[in-house]
Amino acid sequence: MSSGSLPEVTIYADGACKGNPGPGAWAAVLITRRNGAPIDKEIAGAEQQTTNNRMELRAVVEALKCLRLRSRVTVYSDSAYLVNAFERRWIYSWLRNGWKTRGKSPVKNRELWEELLHLVQQHDVRFEKVKGHAGDIYNERADRLANLHLK
């Protein structure tokens, strides 16, 4: 299947945490189009002891796991940590450097980054930064959903 004929999926992902670390939750809104009509799916989950960054990553991991077919995916997130890792290609430097940062310290959340990288390689994915709490309807929806799952 050529990239021009891939199904298109838009993902809005968000994470939330009470304390950092503390109880956390993640959520994603997946939007696909079938016969011109948008079809939305919401997913969410929680962890007892985590960080906001882990929840941001988990949201995208879980959203990509929902895709059954290779797809062209745009991920919108208000997490600079997540978006910059791909858009500035930090993740590929970490991989080349044995999962060490430029400062030679171990990359935090390595197992999630590895899982995310594996999932991203199964699709045609691009990441876009969206400003949080700025009125983007789907970003606000993902944020509300994550916060509903905070315990």
Side-chain angles (χ1 to χ4, degrees):
M1 183 181 290
S2 72
S3 64
S5 62
L6 293 177
E8 292 193 22
V9 179
T10 303
I11 296 171
Y12 283 83
D14 202 14
C17 218
K18 284 184 184 174
N20 204 19
W26 57 268
V29 178
L30 295 83
I31 307 156
T32 58
R33 291 199 171 270
R34 290 205 185 108
N35 301 323
I39 299 171
D40 298 356
K41 177 178 182 165
E42 295 178 343
I43 60 172
E47 294 182 16
Q48 289 186 0
Q49 189 68 12
T50 190
T51 65
N52 191 63
N53 284 338
R54 288 186 65 80
M55 294 297 88
E56 297 283 355
L57 293 169
R58 176 63 63 201
V60 180
V61 165
E62 297 303 328
L64 290 173
K65 284 181 177 179
C66 290
L67 304 181
R68 290 185 167 82
L69 301 172
R70 178 171 170 74
S71 301
R72 181 179 302 118
V73 181
T74 304
V75 175
Y76 290 93
S77 173
D78 58 17
S79 169
Y81 175 63
L82 170 66
V83 173
N84 288 341
F86 285 94
E87 292 307 301
R88 294 186 181 174
R89 306 189 57 79
W90 297 343
I91 194 164
Y92 303 106
S93 294
W94 298 338
L95 186 60
R96 275 192 315 275
N97 295 330
W99 292 99
K100 303 275 190 213
T101 66
R102 190 169 45 187
K104 306 293 184 219
S105 60
V107 171
K108 291 181 181 176
N109 306 308
R110 175 181 173 174
E111 77 287 354
L112 283 172
W113 285 116
E114 288 178 317
E115 186 174 12
L116 182 54
L117 184 58
H118 172 75
L119 290 163
V120 163
Q121 291 170 343
Q122 295 176 26
H123 302 281
D124 178 1
V125 181
R126 70 184 176 93
F127 289 82
E128 295 283 337
K129 175 82 168 66
V130 62
K131 187 173 181 179
H133 311 288
D136 182 299
I137 188 169
Y138 289 106
N139 180 255
E140 298 290 342
R141 191 165 148 191
D143 178 72
R144 275 192 308 277
L145 190 57
N147 277 288
L148 281 173
H149 283 78
L150 271 176
K151 301 211 178 345

